[in-house]
């Protein structure tokens, strides 16, 4: 295989696509968490876990096995509780007050500590966002206060019961976990994160890790330098202990179908220049929006061959499929069968297509 094909095969295996994984909680550790929004979070895990049932996902929240905290690039990720201290330590420098938001909403920064205290007092138990707005007494701007607390780890987001709902609840971290969120030292945490990134997303260039993490170049390079890596060609770094497995990775089956959601970790794991292993450059504008966020994608043989969106249609889900090349009738039927299963996972009675 070419280096590109080898990278595709290895990354597909390490991402556990093809629903080759078995444990949702272990999966969060394996790919360094998932974007927390619904339905992206459950669908990211569904693409990787064999026979994932909705209760196996919701128990992550209900049993307090996972938490939603600031992760790569400061975005809120669902991560395992066991790794939360490392991830929080790695991204501690991202936790800054959103001064521009405070200014926009006319909030005096001197008032922020008191407003934060009111929010934390109101969130001793899980509450809806409206309760926090009442606590601050602000007509607008409560989200800026809440955002500062979720990024600092003092306040946690909790998912709504439904896999398609983003009706978030909030709770004080100390109340939910029984103690404040403890952080690892930033330097050691960043090195841990670099090792995890190469294990799940490698082989990768230095710029890939810098982009994915959002770290300053010096921080990212120091983190990578702390682990034992090998250049497998074209500047692609791999953990040295993974080189043998990389060389033995088997090609992705050309008939493998993977439905990955918006903000899937594979699609958000690399900058534009690093996506060749799963995306033809000519299709980039149909697979990513103008902000650089990934659109939900259809992978065939490990390569994006289409994009998709969905919306409710009564008790069914309606899927709009944008194939990059005209599919055969057999392939179209196979893809639609996968979407029908996905709709059932999300609690819909069926799937319709356009």
């Amino acid at each position: 295989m070419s280096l590109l094909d080898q990278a595709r095969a290895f990354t597909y295996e390490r991402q556990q696509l093809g629903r080759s994984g078995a444990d949702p909680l272990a999966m969060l550790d394996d790919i360094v968490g998932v974007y927390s929004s619904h339905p992206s979070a459950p669908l990211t895990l569904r693409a990787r876990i064999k026979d994932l049932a909705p209760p196996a996902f919701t128990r992550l929240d209900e049993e307090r096995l996972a938490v939603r905290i600031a992760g790569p690039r400061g975005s809120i990720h669902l991560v395992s509780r066991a790794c939360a201290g490392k991830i929080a330590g790695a991204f501690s420098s991202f936790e800054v007050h959103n001064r521009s938001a405070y200014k926009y909403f006319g909030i005096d920064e001197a008032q922020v500590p008191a407003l934060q205290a009111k929010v934390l007092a109101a969130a001793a138990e899980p509450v809806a966002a409206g309760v926090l707005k009442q606590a601050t007494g602000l007509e607008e701007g409560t989200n800026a206060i809440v955002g500062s607390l979720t990024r600092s780890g003092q306040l946690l987001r909790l998912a709504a019961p439904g896999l398609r709902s983003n009706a978030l609840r909030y709770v004080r971290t100390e109340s939910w976990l029984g103690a404040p969120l403890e952080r690892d030292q930033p330097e050691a945490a960043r090195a841990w994160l670099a090792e995890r990134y190469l294990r799940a997303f490698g082989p990768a260039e230095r710029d890939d890790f810098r982009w994915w993490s959002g770290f300053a170049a010096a921080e990212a390079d120091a983190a990578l330098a702390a682990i034992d890596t090998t250049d497998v060609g074209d500047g692609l770094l791999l953990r040295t202990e993974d080189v043998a497995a990389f060389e033995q990775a088997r090609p992705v089956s050309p008939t493998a179908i993977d439905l990955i959601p918006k903000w899937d970790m594979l699609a958000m794991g690399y900058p534009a220049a690093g996506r060749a292993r799963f995306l033809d450059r000519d299709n980039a504008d149909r697979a990513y929006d103008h902000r650089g966020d990934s659109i939900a994608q259809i992978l065939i043989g490990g390569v994006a061959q289409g994009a998709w969106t969905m919306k409710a249609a009564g008790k069914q889900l309606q899927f709009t499929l944008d194939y990059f090349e005209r599919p055969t009738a057999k392939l179209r039927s196979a893809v639609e069968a996968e979407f029908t299963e996905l709709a059932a996972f999300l609690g819909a009675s069926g799937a319709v297509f356009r």
Side-chain angles (χ1 to χ4, degrees):
M1 289 190 288
S2 69
L3 179 59
L4 177 60
D5 289 338
Q6 201 76 38
R8 176 180 302 132
F10 183 75
T11 305
Y12 189 89
E13 287 182 4
R14 286 304 174 96
Q15 287 283 313
Q16 298 179 46
L17 288 164
R19 302 190 209 173
S20 60
D23 181 358
L25 189 61
M27 179 61 60
L28 292 180
D29 288 351
D30 290 341
I31 60 174
V32 203
V34 300
Y35 273 72
S36 67
S37 297
H38 286 193
S40 291
L43 290 183
T44 296
L45 290 180
R46 180 188 176 274
R48 293 164 170 82
I49 300 294
K50 182 177 176 60
D51 299 325
L52 180 67
F57 177 81
T58 57
R59 70 183 287 266
L60 296 174
D61 262 315
E62 293 168 353
E63 298 183 16
R64 310 183 189 191
L65 301 174
V67 294
R68 289 169 168 80
I69 61 173
R73 292 185 302 281
S75 299
I76 302 299
H77 281 61
L78 177 67
V79 306
S80 78
R81 187 169 171 180
C83 292
K86 292 181 173 61
I87 292 172
F91 295 102
S92 58
S93 62
F94 286 65
E95 294 158 9
V96 296
H97 290 300
N98 192 347
R99 291 186 172 87
S100 60
Y102 297 153
K103 183 177 181 180
Y104 178 83
F105 289 113
I107 299 173
D108 185 340
E109 281 195 51
Q111 298 176 315
V112 169
L115 291 169
Q116 289 178 327
K118 290 180 179 180
V119 167
L120 292 173
E125 298 292 336
V127 295
V131 174
L132 303 185
K133 182 176 180 179
Q134 291 177 350
T136 65
L138 297 173
E139 286 297 321
E140 294 183 294
T142 298
N143 284 349
I145 302 299
V146 170
S148 69
L149 290 169
T150 56
R151 293 184 188 285
S152 69
Q154 298 176 75
L155 191 71
L156 297 175
R157 300 181 184 185
L158 300 179
L163 300 187
R164 286 184 274 162
S165 173
N166 264 323
L168 297 172
R169 295 170 297 153
Y170 297 87
V171 65
R172 191 167 66 230
T173 302
E174 190 169 354
S175 297
W176 191 247
L177 301 183
L181 184 63
E182 294 187 9
R183 306 167 184 279
D184 285 25
Q185 290 298 314
E187 185 175 345
R190 288 193 292 267
W192 173 87
L193 192 77
E195 189 271 342
R196 285 297 176 104
Y197 176 79
L198 289 183
R199 187 173 72 170
F201 295 87
E205 295 185 27
R206 293 181 182 278
D207 285 345
D208 295 337
F209 177 64
R210 292 170 187 160
W211 182 87
W212 173 81
S213 65
F215 294 154
E219 291 177 337
D221 289 347
L224 288 169
I227 59 179
D228 184 13
T229 61
T230 295
D231 187 329
V232 296
D234 295 343
L236 293 172
L237 300 178
L238 197 63
R239 298 190 312 167
T240 299
E241 65 189 270
D242 289 334
V243 171
F246 173 74
E247 293 172 346
Q248 296 166 13
R250 301 175 62 183
V252 182
S253 169
T255 61
I257 299 171
D258 295 274
L259 307 179
I260 62 174
K262 182 177 182 180
W263 297 315
D264 184 85
M265 295 304 286
L266 173 70
M268 296 301 294
Y270 311 88
R275 296 169 186 159
R277 74 192 67 191
F278 66 89
L279 178 68
D280 188 309
R281 186 186 298 271
D282 292 341
N283 298 323
D285 289 345
R286 295 164 72 178
Y288 290 81
D289 66 21
H290 67 281
R291 295 181 297 271
D293 289 338
S294 71
I295 298 169
Q297 297 171 20
I298 304 168
L299 304 184
I300 309 293
V303 179
Q305 301 289 352
W308 58 277
T309 58
M310 73 177 183
K311 66 178 182 180
K315 294 183 179 181
Q316 297 181 312
L317 287 177
Q318 176 179 289
F319 296 96
T320 300
L321 309 185
D322 173 27
Y323 289 101
F324 300 154
E325 294 183 4
R326 186 185 181 92
T328 64
K330 181 178 180 180
L331 177 59
R332 183 185 294 273
S333 177
V335 168
E336 291 183 0
E338 292 288 334
F339 275 109
T340 299
E341 289 186 16
L342 185 152
F345 173 76
L346 292 177
S349 63
V352 294
F353 302 94
R354 62 183 297 270

